[in-house]
Amino acid sequence: MVSFSRRSKMLLTSSAALLLASCGADDVASPGAGSIPITINQPAPTPTPTGPATPTPLTAAQFALATAVNGVSITADEQVALVNAGQNNNLQGFGTTLNGVYPVSGTSLATASNPQTVLGNSSFLQNTSFVGALSGPNDNAFSGWTCNSSSATFLNSSACTAVPSVGSGGSAAACPTGTIDDGLVQTFRACRLPAVISADLTLPKIAGVLYRFRGLTEVGVDGGAAATLTIQPGVVLAADSTETSNDVVLVNRGSKINAVGTADAPIIFTAQQNLASNGVSDSSQGLWGGVILLGKAPTAVCATGTGPNTADGTSAGAAAPCQQQIEGVSGRLYGGTDAADSSGTMQYVQIRYTGIAISEGNELQGLTLGGTGSGTTIDHVQSHNSADDGIEIFGGATNLRYFVVTGADDDGFDVDNGWRGFMQFIIAAQKAGGSTADSFATEIDSNNAEDLLPRTYGRYANFTFIQTNSAPAAIRLRGGADFAFVNGIVKTQSGAACLNVIAGAGSGDTRTTIRPADSALQDVGPPTFNSIYFQCQGR
């Protein structure tokens, strides 16, 4: 039997002969026996995509900055070892992973850990499946109640430079009881707050009305009359720019602020310049002092004649409980023995264009917490373009959630003096340039007093730190403070390390910031890092 393949060849040969004959090719010479040569030009092979090249791994000295204090230092290699002792950390991040503060995809940049388990808190902290403050490009947790600038933009938020929504009808509006009619500012009715709010006062949202404050505006009197300042959603408060005093809103110990806005109607503290179109720019800062809350929770640094404090915050055996004067204002004290003390609530609040350096180490921030207790509620708050820190916390036990610092001239989150608390869903997006040389996304310390009690012990979960200026590092941890970090993103520009861990006392294994746990010193041991994505040196 003739095979199918062979039959096919025979038919093809006959067909070819008939085709040649029909073309008048009967007289074409036969090439003779053998095959007819056929040349086939093969296309060039398509290169296999290789993707972006992996950069050279960072050295320890590029990842971590070593700083000597009092002749004591923690090497870059030792700092890398601290991070490597944790789980799910990536020290070699690179490429296009973020669009501003948002991840470019919904896939977590590192394997997340459960903050409740790692940090031992299930009442305040939420379990998350992602690292950083945002889960992906469409996360709307920071939408609307924030404002946008070159430091960071958020979904569905308006520009920080835009005139806040005061409303129309100011010429006919009346100031509520307890405030002073200051006439018109632009087209708005200015209702000024008294210098001392000695009784409960409510600031309602009235179309066309803004609330103005001038100089030091105090809520309550420390040791005297207590008061609560209640601010309704959508209210705008503006510092008076017609005089030169440092405009500050300060809540004294024993009194409270109840500033509760909404995502659609945040409460805005700003400068009077912000009330005019083009009155402020993206670089405006330091136009007024800021907001200060003082409480009766323990602090570690004590004024002369008070303290020293003890680990339980009672100053047991001392002539007087530990207290201290707050920075930026003369004679106003914070501290006490009530860790659960409440200075009120701030929710869905913006604080714009603050910060004044009165002297070296004596500054006003966007928001200052002095000895505020765990009963104080701070969440969904933005501090924008402070000329100093976005927020500074002196002692106390207040927890923070959904807190944004944009465009700070100095540190984003500055904690010290024995603060013991938690923060989750926090963002620090530093300004692009012009900031101080030692500005960090977070600065954690105890003012070089290594063993004061209570010992500083902070815990950050789901944080995004974007260090866009020329600071030496994003995270500075020093002064014998204890800390734990989980589910974070840290990104720095070229020339900036990610980490700077410092000890100012001890030697070898007894160096204060990294020594083993010691309950007698209220020391929980070296800092811990879990599920942190580090993208350092502009990679």
Side-chain angles (χ1 to χ4, degrees):
M1 175 182 285
V2 180
S3 70
F4 174 78
S5 61
R6 290 185 60 194
R7 279 202 305 260
S8 300
K9 291 178 182 179
M10 292 168 63
L11 289 170
L12 287 171
T13 302
S14 300
S15 299
L18 290 171
L19 179 62
L20 289 171
S22 67
C23 297
D26 291 341
D27 298 330
V28 176
S30 170
S35 302
I36 300 174
I38 300 174
T39 302
I40 300 176
N41 294 318
Q42 296 286 351
T46 302
T48 303
T50 59
T54 302
T56 301
L58 292 175
T59 65
Q62 291 172 315
F63 176 82
L65 175 68
T67 304
V69 174
N70 302 327
V72 181
S73 65
I74 300 172
T75 68
D77 286 322
E78 289 175 314
Q79 295 179 56
V80 168
L82 289 172
V83 179
N84 283 334
Q87 297 180 339
N88 304 323
N89 297 311
N90 183 348
L91 286 70
Q92 302 291 338
F94 71 95
T96 305
T97 55
L98 296 177
N99 179 14
V101 295
Y102 287 84
V104 296
S105 78
T107 301
S108 183
L109 289 172
T111 300
S113 299
N114 184 344
Q116 296 176 338
T117 302
V118 174
L119 302 181
N121 183 315
S122 59
S123 59
F124 176 78
L125 297 174
Q126 298 178 22
N127 183 20
T128 55
S129 60
F130 58 91
V131 302
L134 295 140
S135 63
N138 299 313
D139 190 329
N140 63 2
F142 293 84
S143 300
W145 59 271
T146 50
C147 66
N148 293 332
S149 68
S150 62
S151 297
T153 58
F154 301 93
L155 300 176
N156 304 314
S157 295
S158 59
C160 298
T161 54
V163 176
S165 180
V166 178
S168 59
S171 59
C175 290
T177 301
T179 65
I180 304 158
D181 192 337
D182 259 358
L184 295 180
V185 174
Q186 307 301 328
T187 60
F188 311 127
R189 176 68 58 188
C191 301
R192 181 161 46 89
L193 305 184
V196 177
I197 301 171
S198 56
D200 293 351
L201 177 63
T202 296
L203 305 181
K205 174 65 175 177
I206 301 173
V209 167
L210 66 91
Y211 296 94
R212 184 155 71 169
F213 52 93
R214 178 182 301 155
L216 177 59
T217 298
E218 300 184 76
V219 180
V221 178
D222 190 6
T228 297
L229 174 63
T230 299
I231 307 173
Q232 293 186 347
V235 163
V236 176
L237 301 95
D240 189 350
S241 62
T242 64
E243 44 77 53
T244 59
S245 63
N246 295 330
D247 301 319
V248 175
V249 175
L250 181 146
V251 179
N252 278 301
R253 292 187 294 188
S255 293
K256 296 180 180 180
I257 188 170
N258 186 32
V260 181
T262 67
D264 296 327
I267 293 165
I268 299 176
F269 289 84
T270 190
Q272 190 168 307
Q273 292 92 321
N274 197 188
L275 302 176
S277 181
N278 299 317
V280 292
S281 70
D282 194 58
S283 61
S284 295
Q285 60 181 147
L287 301 182
W288 61 287
V291 178
I292 300 174
L293 308 186
L294 304 179
K296 299 178 180 179
T299 184
V301 179
C302 310
T304 301
T306 71
N309 217 335
T310 49
D312 62 1
T314 64
S315 298
C322 177
Q323 61 181 6
Q324 182 59 283
Q325 177 175 300
I326 196 63
E327 283 188 6
V329 181
S330 176
R332 301 303 184 268
L333 300 170
Y334 67 93
T337 61
D338 184 5
D341 183 47
S342 174
S343 296
T345 300
M346 295 186 74
Q347 292 177 308
Y348 295 103
V349 173
Q350 295 177 22
I351 306 173
R352 304 179 181 178
Y353 309 116
T354 61
I356 296 173
I358 297 170
S359 61
E360 180 65 29
N362 185 25
E363 300 100 0
L364 291 165
Q365 284 71 227
L367 178 63
T368 301
L369 303 182
T372 57
S374 59
T376 305
T377 298
I378 306 289
D379 68 61
H380 293 86
V381 175
Q382 179 180 14
S383 174
H384 174 65
N385 273 27
S386 169
D388 198 67
D389 301 330
I391 179 173
E392 185 161 9
I393 304 178
F394 298 91
T398 299
N399 301 320
L400 274 64
R401 182 185 288 129
Y402 293 106
F403 200 107
V404 181
V405 177
T406 49
D409 192 50
D410 198 4
D411 307 316
F413 296 84
D414 190 344
V415 301
D416 46 39
N417 290 22
W419 173 69
R420 299 175 68 80
F422 299 85
M423 297 189 197
Q424 188 174 26
F425 308 117
I426 61 173
I427 296 173
Q430 300 291 78
K431 63 191 302 185
S435 58
T436 57
D438 64 342
S439 57
F440 301 85
T442 186
E443 184 174 60
I444 304 149
D445 62 42
S446 294
N447 290 348
N448 201 30
E450 308 290 281
D451 289 322
L452 292 181
L453 298 174
R455 184 176 174 87
T456 299
Y457 183 24
R459 284 137 287 184
Y460 289 169
N462 292 98
F463 57 91
T464 299
F465 293 157
I466 310 296
Q467 193 79 24
T468 55
N469 58 24
S470 57
I475 298 174
R476 167 173 276 182
L477 173 60
R478 65 179 178 179
D482 290 334
F483 234 82
F485 303 86
V486 60
N487 289 359
I489 296 173
V490 180
K491 184 176 181 178
T492 70
Q493 72 166 14
S494 178
C498 276
L499 187 61
N500 181 215
V501 180
I502 303 170
S507 62
D509 290 340
T510 69
R511 285 169 293 175
T512 49
T513 314
I514 61 171
R515 67 192 177 195
D518 185 343
S519 59
L521 298 172
Q522 205 180 24
D523 191 340
V524 301
T528 60
F529 302 84
N530 289 281
S531 298
I532 314 297
Y533 178 85
F534 294 96
Q535 190 168 340
C536 318
Q537 298 287 346
R539 304 205 321 164

